[in-house]
Amino acid sequence: MIRFENVSMQYSSGTFSLNDISFTIEQGQFVFLIGPSGAGKTSLLRLIMRQLIPDEGSVFVEDEEVSSRNFKSSDELRKKIGTVFQDFKIIQDRSALENVMVGLEIVHHKNPKEEAMNALSLAGIEKKAGFFPLQLSAGEQQRLAIARAIAGGRQLILADEPTGNVDPVTMWEIVHLFRKIHDDKRTIIFATHNAEIVNALKQRVITIKKGKIVKDKQRGSYSLDL
Ligand SMILES: Nc1ncnc2c1ncn2[C@@H]1O[C@H](COP(=O)(O)OP(=O)(O)OP(=O)(O)O)[C@@H](O)[C@H]1O
Ligand SMILES: [Mg+2]
């Protein structure tokens, strides 16, 4: 569960702000986050990861107020939240298996190797466990990033334009993988500019423009008009 209560935040440059953002995402929901470039999608995701702290209001992850200045357990947050980015953000000089294990060792997982292999299997690239990123296609690298995100049973996956760097066929494979990990009862927040994906999946769509939520619709479609 994620809840924003009247969240406002301004970058110190003073050029952009998120204004009075409120919404709740229940455990197991699949939510698209859409809006023009610069609307604040990535900033909103960073508030959930506690990479940004709001100036006003509160952000809750499973009833814990991560926006509190006193919040201490960043490890706890890393155990709960997996992230997937457009540019993969995987470590180039580590194998696929090691890339997934690193994220598990940080949170002191008991069986990092076994768990990493499970995640690679779920993502369909267990045969490439010993390969380095340069030996993987873009689609495989994104599968690896998804394996890393779900490893250790993380229940909340934040994806920021995860299909931005792959060809159309691979794009649908990645979307299919997101549906599969969602069937596993995980919560997914998927920021995208891709209308085809949003329209095909018919999930909840939250639209932001200029730092404000302008629409929030169950079984929504891609539209930036009001
Ligand atoms: N660290 C920062 N300091 C100052 N301004 C920032 C910072 N990061 C982002 N911004 C500004 O905040 C605004 C929102 O950025 P954000 O990355 O959240 O948009 P977005 O909706 O994710 O856009 P895109 O679709 O292009 O990824 C932009 O105007 C951006 O320039
Ligand atoms: Mg962004």
Side-chain angles (χ1 to χ4, degrees):
M1 191 275 305
I2 296 168
R3 193 162 77 249
F4 275 52
E5 283 181 0
N6 307 105
V7 170
S8 295
M9 185 224 68
Q10 189 167 36
Y11 285 109
S12 51
S13 57
T15 46
F16 174 80
S17 55
L18 283 170
N19 292 310
D20 200 18
I21 303 273
S22 295
F23 62 85
T24 301
I25 294 175
E26 303 295 347
Q27 171 76 34
Q29 272 198 330
F30 192 127
V31 180
F32 284 113
L33 185 58
I34 70 169
S37 191
K41 302 179 294 298
T42 298
S43 306
L44 192 150
L45 295 178
R46 293 184 66 200
L47 283 160
I48 301 171
M49 294 183 265
R50 205 175 186 273
Q51 290 176 357
L52 293 171
I53 306 278
D55 302 311
E56 285 170 51
S58 307
V59 178
F60 295 88
V61 175
E62 287 180 357
D63 287 328
E64 279 211 82
E65 191 188 346
V66 301
S67 54
S68 162
R69 302 217 173 246
N70 301 324
F71 183 84
K72 290 218 171 58
S73 53
S74 294
D75 261 10
E76 285 303 309
L77 217 48
R78 280 197 220 123
K79 273 186 200 165
K80 286 180 187 158
I81 304 179
T83 47
V84 181
F85 301 95
Q86 175 170 359
D87 59 356
F88 318 138
K89 295 204 195 303
I90 49 188
I91 309 168
Q92 293 301 317
D93 61 356
R94 301 280 180 101
S95 70
L97 178 65
E98 287 165 347
N99 261 281
V100 180
M101 283 175 65
V102 165
L104 291 165
E105 283 159 357
I106 288 171
V107 297
H108 314 294
H109 196 278
K110 286 198 182 74
N111 303 307
K113 190 166 181 185
E114 192 185 331
E115 180 57 26
M117 279 310 298
N118 288 341
L120 288 171
S121 295
L122 227 162
I125 50 158
E126 70 279 13
K127 290 192 180 117
K128 303 284 170 85
F131 284 49
F132 286 84
L134 275 174
Q135 300 170 308
L136 301 174
S137 69
E140 288 167 341
Q141 291 185 54
Q142 197 56 305
R143 284 176 183 277
L144 168 56
I146 294 167
R148 182 184 55 187
I150 60 177
R154 292 187 179 90
Q155 292 297 303
L156 170 57
I157 308 299
L158 306 180
D160 199 353
E161 194 75 29
T163 60
N165 269 348
V166 296
D167 69 84
V169 172
T170 308
M171 174 184 95
W172 288 112
E173 286 174 12
I174 297 293
V175 169
H176 185 74
L177 179 53
F178 270 99
R179 290 180 72 155
K180 183 167 139 191
I181 65 174
H182 175 235
D183 283 346
D184 237 9
K185 308 287 177 272
R186 290 188 173 84
T187 309
I188 315 268
I189 306 181
F190 191 122
T192 186
H193 290 288
N194 192 295
E196 270 188 281
I197 297 174
V198 176
N199 292 339
L201 267 61
K202 299 184 177 59
Q203 299 289 338
R204 178 175 173 189
V205 179
I206 295 178
T207 311
I208 58 174
K209 276 189 178 176
K210 296 183 181 165
K212 284 193 173 147
I213 292 187
V214 293
K215 214 191 283 181
D216 183 350
K217 208 167 178 305
Q218 304 291 338
R219 293 181 64 77
S221 56
Y222 190 95
S223 157
L224 295 182
D225 310 326
L226 280 182

